[in-house]
Amino acid sequence: MSAITERRIAVIGQGYVGLPVAHAAHEAGYTVIGYDVDDKRVDELAEPRSPIEDVTDDDLFKMLATGRYLPTSDPGHLAGVDVAIVTVPTPLTAGRPDLTAVLAAARAISDYARGVQLVVLESTVAPGTTRRAFTDALGDGQADLSRTLVAFSPERIDPGNAMWRFSNTPKLVGGTTNAATFAAAAFYETLCETVEVVESAEVAEMAKLLENTYRHVNIALVNELGRHAHRLGIDIRAVVAAAATKPYGFMSFQPGPGVGGHCLPIDPVYLSDAVERTGHPFAFVDLAMQINAAQPAYVVDRVAELLNSQRKPVNGSRILALGASYKAGSGDLRESPAIEVIERLRARGGEVFVCDPHADQLALHRLGLPTVDVRDLVTSAAATDLVVLLTNHPEFPHERIAGAAPLVFDTRDAFADAPNVVAF
Ligand SMILES: NC(=O)c1ccc[n+]([C@@H]2O[C@H](COP(=O)([O-])OP(=O)(O)OC[C@H]3O[C@@H](n4cnc5c(N)ncnc54)[C@H](O)[C@@H]3O)[C@@H](O)[C@H]2O)c1
């Protein structure tokens, strides 16, 4: 994996997915062009300052020092690359899949990457996108890409996961032709420990959507069951732990304040949208969406119930929210249910203070949220009516917070049992 190679790789999009791919390709000895349309992102990378947890400033420094990593917003640098990997966003616009960035990336390749032998789409897309819209856009530009091989390989990266990283998570690969599948598999074998080849790009595209929809649906199931368990006076966490003693046929999912990030709230729509085009609704996805989307409002109702038990209204109560990002150990605020909980509490008159040592503090201020430094947490907890744990960052001193706060609502099962700690 460490042999220096003459091959040049372009990674289009230098975000949560693209940067770890660029890092892995650099580690494998390739020369890597990190192309991103965002000039600010490119400047940050050149500084070097990493915008994500999985690639550190020091990693970037080392990559830049070898002269084999070039962050750039100039598509002219795509000329002469052998392989182009596309890792750009696939958001929803007005609730529908938006392929603008994917198609723009394909056009940049088709305009500038003359001679590119292999193009791989890693962004999450609906089945058929790689073969049709993406390949069509590759054919639009100046470069003759009629002989370029095109494949899909979903990104399975789990930001902040120290155990499952880009290199040791099995990489699924499906081409638009057999030759593309083999070429893409051979390429990823130089970056990853395990490559799983599937029969087509469509199988790989849909497998990624199944993975995330499976997670989304199961989280919705346990979130709904959690609400019922609370009404029945049964501890949902104990129920899940008990079911998990079964050694087969059951996988644990935990209830929480909802789902967030770039994947779970969005990817199932890519699948349901494709299904609905066949004239059939995707009932499971619709229901799971509805349940998970209502979870922040449920958390706010529980907070109101708890304050009420202390003869306090939400209006005017001081509430300390622990965590604003959508997952522990990450600063990613995209689609974060924690932000929705905080905004709903504020809308009901709550005086909410937020502590999130991972999130960009300026971004929190732009949302109008007063922040608390993690070093001042215990003092702040003592001066509040209620602490609500929304995202369980490892820096939080749970025991000391519980010792200081009058009341703690724990939506993440992170606090030890105590009379003032209420579980989800
Ligand atoms: N974040 C995750 O955990 C994760 C996991 C698996 C898959 N994915 C999928 O990977 C894809 C990328 O997600 P992400 O989280 O890395 O997004 P991101 O927003 O972190 O990064 C995307 C980058 O692409 C750049 N970009 C946008 N349009 C571009 C263009 N036309 N050309 C070049 N650069 C462009 C943006 O400026 C940004 O820096 C999405 O399809 C997402 O669903 C994400």
Side-chain angles (χ1 to χ4, degrees), residues 84-134:
I85 313 289
V86 175
T87 59
V88 298
T90 44
L92 300 178
T93 298
R96 300 262 68 88
D98 179 353
L99 288 181
T100 310
V102 165
L103 299 183
R107 286 194 199 100
I109 295 168
S110 74
D111 275 337
Y112 294 96
R114 267 172 236 280
V116 65
Q117 294 144 28
L118 172 68
V119 178
V120 186
L121 178 58
E122 286 207 9
S123 302
T124 307
V125 290
T129 305
T130 307
R131 190 180 302 279
R132 294 195 291 272
F134 186 67

Side-chain angles (χ1 to χ4, degrees), residues 9-266:
I9 310 299
V11 183
I12 321 279
Q14 293 290 278
Y16 281 94
V17 167
L19 208 44
V21 175
H23 181 244
H26 177 271
E27 287 278 287
Y30 296 107
T31 294
V32 180
I33 310 298
Y35 171 65
D36 199 295
V37 286
D38 181 353
D39 287 320
K40 277 211 294 237
R41 170 62 48 95
V42 169
D43 291 346
E44 201 177 18
L45 294 171
E47 219 172 288
R49 194 156 51 87
S50 176
I52 64 166
E53 292 83 9
D54 292 348
V55 174
T56 62
D57 293 354
D58 195 42
D59 291 331
L60 275 179
F61 180 81
K62 288 180 184 146
M63 287 163 73
L64 291 161
T66 63
R68 288 189 293 105
Y69 173 59
L70 175 68
T72 179
S73 57
D74 175 2
H77 283 115
L78 300 177
V81 300
D82 301 288
V83 178
I85 313 289
V86 175
T87 59
V88 298
T90 44
L92 300 178
T93 298
R96 300 262 68 88
D98 179 353
L99 288 181
T100 310
V102 165
L103 299 183
R107 286 194 199 100
I109 295 168
S110 74
D111 275 337
Y112 294 96
R114 267 172 236 280
V116 65
Q117 294 144 28
L118 172 68
V119 178
V120 186
L121 178 58
E122 286 207 9
S123 302
T124 307
V125 290
T129 305
T130 307
R131 190 180 302 279
R132 294 195 291 272
F134 186 67
T135 302
D136 288 352
L138 283 173
D140 281 352
Q142 313 291 318
D144 175 11
L145 301 189
S146 55
R147 295 226 298 272
T148 303
L149 301 170
V150 183
F152 179 78
S153 179
E155 189 46 68
R156 290 165 149 176
I157 210 156
D158 180 18
N161 190 329
M163 180 168 167
W164 294 107
R165 288 160 284 107
F166 177 83
S167 58
N168 66 352
T169 304
K171 195 86 176 96
L172 219 52
V173 172
T176 53
T177 59
N178 285 344
T181 306
F182 292 134
F187 168 67
Y188 283 111
E189 272 161 11
T190 66
L191 308 188
C192 308
E193 289 168 17
T194 313
V195 173
E196 299 286 349
V197 168
V198 296
E199 65 194 57
S200 65
E202 287 75 10
V203 169
E205 288 167 330
M206 200 157 175
K208 167 69 187 177
L209 294 174
L210 170 62
E211 289 167 16
N212 281 358
T213 303
Y214 171 84
R215 205 169 147 64
H216 193 269
V217 164
N218 278 287
I219 290 171
L221 172 65
V222 81
N223 276 340
E224 186 182 4
L225 193 63
R227 295 179 207 167
H228 299 316
H230 174 63
R231 290 179 200 112
L232 292 167
I234 299 169
D235 176 358
I236 182 66
R237 306 272 179 186
V239 173
V240 173
T245 60
K246 185 179 176 185
Y248 56 90
F250 182 82
M251 198 174 175
S252 289
F253 290 86
Q254 301 299 334
V259 294
H262 190 316
C263 295
L264 287 201
I266 292 171

